[in-house]
Amino acid sequence: MTRQAIVVGGGIGGLAAAVALHRIGWRAVVLERAAEVREIGAGMSQAPNAMRALDALGVGEQARSAGVPTYSAANLRLPDGRYLQQARPGDPTPLTAFHRADLHRVLLEAVPAGWVRTGTEVTGIRQTERQVTVTWSGGEASADLLIGADGIRSTVRRLLWPEAPAPRFLGRTAWLGIANAVAADGLPGSITMGSGGYLLIHPISRGRAYWAYVTAAEHPEIRYTEEKTEVARRVTTWHQPIPALIAATPDDAVIHIDICDLDPLPAYVRDRVALLGDAAHAMSPDRGQGAGQSLEDAVVLAAALTGEPTVEAALRRYDTERRPRTQATARGARADGRRTTSPALHRGLTSMIRLTPASLWRRGIAADGNATWRWRPPHLPSSATQY
Ligand SMILES: Cc1cc2nc3c(=O)[nH]c(=O)nc-3n(C[C@H](O)[C@H](O)[C@H](O)COP(=O)(O)OP(=O)(O)OC[C@H]3O[C@@H](n4cnc5c(N)ncnc54)[C@H](O)[C@@H]3O)c2cc1C
């Protein structure tokens, strides 16, 4: 008998979960509160672990053609333009950059038609021994399994983990944007490390560039009438193409967000319910791993569902495998963010990078250069049914 799941949330994590379930022969419905399933926001990069997860989901090739190789980890600069480390021509890079909408579309196209239901905000959950039921205004649905992929302010988490603390503001804020192709074409990707903040550039599809400026902030929710003017002012003396990229971003396309993460949860599963992606382990963006970890979650969860005799046993395995890794990654990202936006640590950090021999630096940013990137997906037996 075909098993049935409900996925709450149609972001990258929720869609990846739906694709993974499809591959193992489950049916699913994705309930998304927005009127349209789409990814808002700017860009992102994916590391080798995430690209392997996309391969396991059967969409690696499509993702690679939607993404662009980025040398952001290889080109580290100071605001005056000097390089602390620099990629050599012909060097490989393990990072792929995306417009968020492009990666989201790749996943959405792999979800069977009719599985996504928009305009559906889940507000209630109840469980019996055999089923889990979710409710929304005017409707309800039941299934063998519920996946809460509803983001950092997850309703599923709030309902079933009422004791979990709210997301934590990390004392950092970020401006993001996509610069048009005229200003951005051909950029290799870089990170410029200023005192108290850094600016990241990734090339993305159609010759455009994604940029993000992350800096310390005493309080959350400080907003400016002209966000683009404000971020431009903060990096006005920084090397080109930084001021040019900001100038080449439409005013209303500059996004300003506060950086928050989740304190570690004691469990990602409760009976027939699993949290996945930011709902389980929202993390600071400084390791570029949040969405990548949600892709891994989806693959590991599906592999556990095929390898264990019951849903409950599969969820226990998912929890055991995913919690230590994702929480260690979140801890590392929180610490990295603190270091890279601390004026007191700037001189020491940049000297350390400058003094690291180039060969050693390259080894550290090779595809297998660190434990996070080395991850290999479990085998997902593909028994997808065509709908
Ligand atoms: C500045 C910044 C840069 C980042 N850069 C990177 C990067 O380079 N690489 C990387 O891997 N990650 C990056 N991340 C992290 C990444 O954006 C997130 O980890 C990822 O988008 C989380 O996906 P998700 O599907 O878990 O959650 P979300 O994308 O938040 O999706 C949740 C979905 O659930 C829906 N929803 C919410 N509540 C309900 C409800 N009650 N009922 C129905 N639907 C609901 C929402 O509408 C939404 O569509 C970055 C994050 C930030 C802030």
Side-chain angles (χ1 to χ4, degrees):
M1 198 180 65
T2 307
R3 322 251 9 221
Q4 174 82 35
I6 296 168
V7 179
V8 185
I12 287 172
L15 294 184
V19 174
L21 290 165
H22 176 50
R23 281 186 81 75
I24 60 166
W26 280 54
R27 294 184 75 107
V29 57
V30 179
L31 303 177
E32 168 56 51
R33 73 175 166 200
E36 210 185 317
V37 208
R38 68 193 175 106
E39 182 68 34
I40 46 171
M44 58 169 42
S45 65
Q46 293 307 332
N49 56 306
M51 298 310 291
R52 287 186 207 106
L54 289 163
D55 286 330
L57 294 172
V59 295
E61 209 176 295
Q62 295 89 320
R64 282 184 189 83
S65 48
V68 175
T70 175
Y71 287 82
S72 56
N75 287 318
L76 297 191
R77 307 181 74 173
L78 289 169
D80 64 11
R82 274 177 298 158
Y83 281 87
L84 300 165
Q85 294 286 340
Q86 184 169 16
R88 291 174 311 193
D91 274 354
T93 176
L95 295 177
T96 309
F98 295 90
H99 192 296
R100 277 171 178 266
D102 291 341
L103 184 56
H104 190 261
R105 181 182 34 79
V106 164
L107 290 163
L108 185 58
E109 284 174 0
V111 174
W115 276 27
V116 180
R117 184 187 164 125
T118 53
T120 307
E121 178 168 4
V122 168
T123 50
I125 301 170
R126 57 178 195 274
Q127 298 200 65
T128 63
E129 224 172 87
R130 305 177 67 85
Q131 285 222 303
V132 51
T133 301
V134 296
T135 52
W136 61 89
S137 164
E140 66 171 45
S142 298
D144 303 295
L145 164 68
L146 173 67
I147 300 176
D150 50 346
I152 186 167
R153 299 191 192 276
S154 164
T155 299
V156 175
R157 189 182 68 241
R158 185 171 48 74
L159 293 171
L160 294 186
W161 282 256
E163 69 289 356
R168 176 197 289 261
F169 171 60
L170 293 175
R172 296 193 283 283
T173 200
W175 285 264
L176 328 166
I178 305 282
N180 70 38
V182 177
D185 205 12
L187 290 178
S190 58
I191 298 175
T192 302
M193 303 182 66
S195 173
Y198 66 91
L199 194 137
L200 164 85
I201 300 171
H202 288 314
I204 57 164
S205 60
R206 290 189 270 134
R208 297 164 298 170
Y210 159 59
W211 57 265
Y213 176 61
V214 183
T215 190
E218 262 180 53
H219 308 287
E221 292 171 24
I222 301 172
R223 291 297 175 266
Y224 301 87
T225 335
E226 307 272 347
E227 294 288 2
K228 178 167 143 176
T229 308
E230 178 59 24
V231 62
R233 183 188 68 74
R234 290 173 182 240
V235 294
T236 185
T237 60
W238 289 28
H239 66 82
Q240 289 294 2
I242 289 172
L245 288 181
I246 296 175
T249 305
D251 294 9
D252 59 359
V254 173
I255 299 169
H256 183 185
I257 54 162
D258 297 315
I259 306 289
C260 300
D261 75 1
L262 279 186
D263 282 335
L265 290 174
Y268 290 172
V269 302
R270 200 146 276 184
D271 307 318
R272 291 174 171 272
V273 178
L275 295 176
L276 179 149
D278 276 14
H281 47 66
M283 56 187 74
S284 186
D286 305 275
R287 289 194 172 180
Q289 279 290 330
Q293 292 298 313
S294 78
L295 298 170
E296 290 188 12
D297 288 347
V299 176
V300 171
L301 179 55
L305 288 168
T306 61
E308 297 294 334
T310 63
V311 168
E312 289 87 343
L315 296 197
R316 280 195 296 276
R317 177 165 139 194
Y318 166 75
D319 186 46
T320 307
E321 289 187 24
R322 294 306 297 157
R323 226 164 5 96
R325 174 167 167 83
T326 50
Q327 293 181 348
T329 309
R331 238 185 350 265
R334 195 187 264 195
D336 282 0
R338 208 179 304 124
R339 271 193 291 274
T340 49
T341 55
S342 156
L345 298 179
H346 178 252
R347 184 186 285 268
L349 188 60
T350 53
S351 302
M352 192 268 290
I353 295 170
R354 185 170 45 82
L355 294 173
T356 303
S359 56
L360 198 61
W361 187 263
R362 283 195 191 99
R363 225 177 298 147
I365 57 167
D368 278 346
N370 64 65
T372 309
W373 292 3
R374 272 196 286 276
W375 179 86
R376 294 282 187 286
H379 176 63
L380 264 197
S382 179
S383 49
T385 324
Q386 294 307 315
Y387 294 105

